[in-house]
Structure formats: C-alpha cells, structure tokens
Amino acid sequence: MQVFHHVTSLREALAQARKDGKTVGFVPTMGNLHDAHIELVKIAQQHCDLVVVSIFVNRLQFGLNEDWDKYPRTMERDMASLREADCDFLFHPDESEIYPNGMDQQTRVVCPAMTDVLCGASRPGHFEGVTTVVSKLFNIVQPDKAIFGIKDFQQLAVIRRMVEDLCMPVEIVAAPVHREEDGLAMSSRNGYITAEERPKVAVLNQLLNWAKDEIVAGRRDFADLETEARKRIEESGFRVDYFSICYSKDLQPAADDDKEITILGAMYTSAARLIDNVSLEL
C-alpha cells in the first residue's frame, strides 16, 4: 500500500494508473476503521482496478459541542487493516492540505435539499461540511466510483444529489449496512457505548424493523407508528433524536401512497449518538 500526504503526489500516482488503463474506486473515511469500512474497500475492489482510501477527520462537519477533539485517531491500526485488505493507496492529509486557506475562508458546497431535516436538524452545518469535503476529495482523487454505506442514508442521499447537481463524473455505489450480531449497525462511535448500555442499544434496529413490518402488514398511520417507537426507545433508557418514516427519494414525510419508504432513527446513549435505517418497497 502506498501512503500519500500531499495532493500533488497522489494526483501524479493516479494519473499514471489511469495511463495504464486502471479504473479508480474511492472510499472516504475519518479513520478509526472497523469491519464495515473494510467491507467498503472490498466492494470498491469488486468494482475497480485500484482503490484509494482517505483518512481525514474533517473538522468542518463537526458542530458545537461535538466530538472532533475526542474522535479516535487510530492510524497505526487503520494502516494495518488496510494493508491486510490489500488497499492500494491511502491518502492521509493534514488539515492544511485540505483547507490551505483555512476553514473560515473555505469555499463551501451547499446542498439545500434534504439537509435541514433528520440529522441536519440536530446538527446544523453538518452536511455543509460533508458536501464541502467530499467535493474536494472527489476533485483530488477523481474516482470512477465512490463507495458509501447505507447506514448513513441521509448522507448518501445528499451526496448523490450533489453529484447530480454539479455534474460530477463519479458513480456513487451504496453498500449494505454492516451489523453486529444483535443488529446494531457498526459505527466508529459504538466504542462510546457503556457496558451497561450495550445490551439495550439494539432497540433502535428492532423498532425500525417493527415499523417496517407494520407498514408491510398494511398500517399507514405513520405518525402513530413514529410516536409509539419514540416512546419505546425512551422506555429503554435512551433519548430520542428522531424516528421518522420518509419517502426514500427526498426524505420528506411519507404519504399513504408512497411505494419507496425509508424509516430512519437516531438516539442518544450517555456518550454516543447512534443512527440507523431500514428501507422497503411496497
């Protein structure tokens, strides 16, 4: 695995690879890698000849009172995992490489669609940070395909919209949610869950699937389903951020006759914010 810290050297290596006829897959990450990240690398390998993984903890997408300083940096372990997965290129830039003029003066990429609801409502400015850094990374790597997990369904939808709106020549590939044995979606923030909380956090995934089953069985009282799910999460000892039944394409509240539905949930443990979702077609 070749490691790059600078945009110029990475671009030179990728230009040579393209001259050799290789296609490029890209997996952007913030590090602290786990099995779900490695699955993204494997999916990229199935689609492309060469895989680039980036590790950059993007301060711009962290809001006030969020955990940028505490976000785990596990570089040695991450590099070992990527080497074992036969990753080709690792891009690990300093903040000054990504934001050479500082973040205050950084040109921003704003996607007005789907960014003021769900996670966007509770994390103002988060998606502006995501779309800005992802657009920069796409410009640096210029991948043929980029792999994103469905666990962050709203992020996936926003990035797809950004790519479409800005005519970016990259195909976005969605990867299935990688889960623990009890159904908990893998996340870098799962390490914040306490031993006491850990047996109960699967309630989020359980209630998402319960709501899905109720809808498949014919229920269309979506607001009542949401209210009941929120109550049951709170009864399990967690604080609800949202539990929302949405039209998959624009994340607006689902209508009775929508055929593509995604149910999204977010809740707080004592030290972590967990998100998950399930989708269905009627």
Side-chain angles (χ1 to χ4, degrees):
M1 181 176 71
Q2 297 184 53
V3 180
F4 300 87
H5 296 297
H6 302 287
V7 172
T8 301
S9 55
L10 175 63
R11 280 179 166 165
E12 289 173 353
L14 287 170
Q16 183 58 54
R18 290 190 183 90
K19 284 183 180 178
D20 295 337
K22 293 183 178 180
T23 55
V24 177
F26 181 43
V27 180
T29 82
M30 293 205 300
N32 193 27
L33 304 182
H34 46 69
D35 288 349
H37 291 112
I38 301 306
E39 280 299 311
L40 301 183
V41 174
K42 292 178 180 178
I43 291 170
Q45 290 168 335
Q46 294 168 8
H47 285 269
C48 296
D49 302 315
L50 181 149
V51 175
V52 181
V53 172
S54 66
I55 293 179
F56 177 65
V57 185
N58 178 38
R59 189 198 304 258
L60 199 61
Q61 70 192 65
F62 286 75
L64 292 173
N65 304 316
E66 290 193 332
D67 53 357
W68 183 85
D69 289 327
K70 296 180 180 178
Y71 193 88
R73 274 76 165 174
T74 56
M75 200 62 205
E76 289 188 11
R77 191 188 72 193
D78 292 350
M79 291 178 67
S81 297
L82 291 172
R83 287 194 176 101
E84 185 176 350
D86 294 323
C87 176
D88 300 291
F89 290 176
L90 168 62
F91 181 46
H92 178 47
D94 289 336
E95 188 170 273
S96 60
E97 191 75 11
I98 298 297
Y99 300 114
N101 297 308
M103 287 190 296
D104 290 342
Q105 302 299 318
Q106 170 63 41
T107 299
R108 308 294 179 100
V109 176
V110 179
C111 179
M114 300 176 288
T115 55
D116 59 353
V117 297
L118 306 171
C119 288
S122 56
R123 303 182 69 189
H126 167 70
F127 285 111
E128 181 177 314
V130 171
T131 48
T132 297
V133 78
V134 170
S135 67
K136 290 174 73 72
L137 291 169
F138 282 177
N139 285 331
I140 293 166
V141 177
Q142 298 181 9
D144 297 283
K145 299 185 180 184
I147 319 301
F148 290 86
I150 290 177
K151 189 205 80 170
D152 296 295
F153 188 91
Q154 185 175 10
Q155 173 180 274
L156 175 65
V158 168
I159 289 171
R160 280 177 162 160
R161 180 63 178 268
M162 177 189 75
V163 165
E164 180 180 11
D165 285 351
L166 298 183
C167 305
M168 293 180 170
V170 55
E171 178 184 342
I172 304 301
V173 177
V177 181
H178 201 76
R179 299 187 180 278
E180 308 281 0
E181 289 185 7
D182 63 355
L184 178 67
M186 284 193 177
S187 169
S188 299
R189 289 183 170 84
N190 288 357
Y192 300 155
I193 301 170
T194 67
E196 181 182 358
E197 293 168 332
R198 184 61 187 82
K200 300 184 288 184
V201 291
V203 66
L204 180 59
N205 179 251
Q206 291 165 2
L207 286 170
L208 289 167
N209 281 291
W210 164 78
K212 175 182 177 180
D213 292 342
E214 291 291 299
I215 294 170
V216 170
R219 284 187 67 174
R220 294 295 180 271
D221 52 337
F222 297 146
D224 289 343
L225 284 170
E226 292 170 349
T227 298
E228 186 172 346
R230 293 187 193 108
K231 180 180 178 182
R232 289 165 65 177
I233 291 172
E234 290 169 354
E235 289 172 347
S236 298
F238 303 108
R239 181 165 63 92
V240 179
D241 185 350
Y242 60 79
F243 192 100
S244 301
I245 301 170
C246 301
Y247 179 45
S248 299
K249 292 186 176 180
D250 61 11
L251 300 184
Q252 293 302 304
D256 289 0
D257 56 351
D258 283 337
K259 301 301 182 185
E260 298 175 46
I261 291 176
T262 299
I263 311 165
L264 304 99
M267 71 181 193
Y268 294 93
T269 69
S270 60
R273 180 177 178 275
L274 306 181
I275 65 172
D276 202 351
N277 67 86
V278 297
S279 294
L280 61 149
E281 292 189 13
L282 299 173

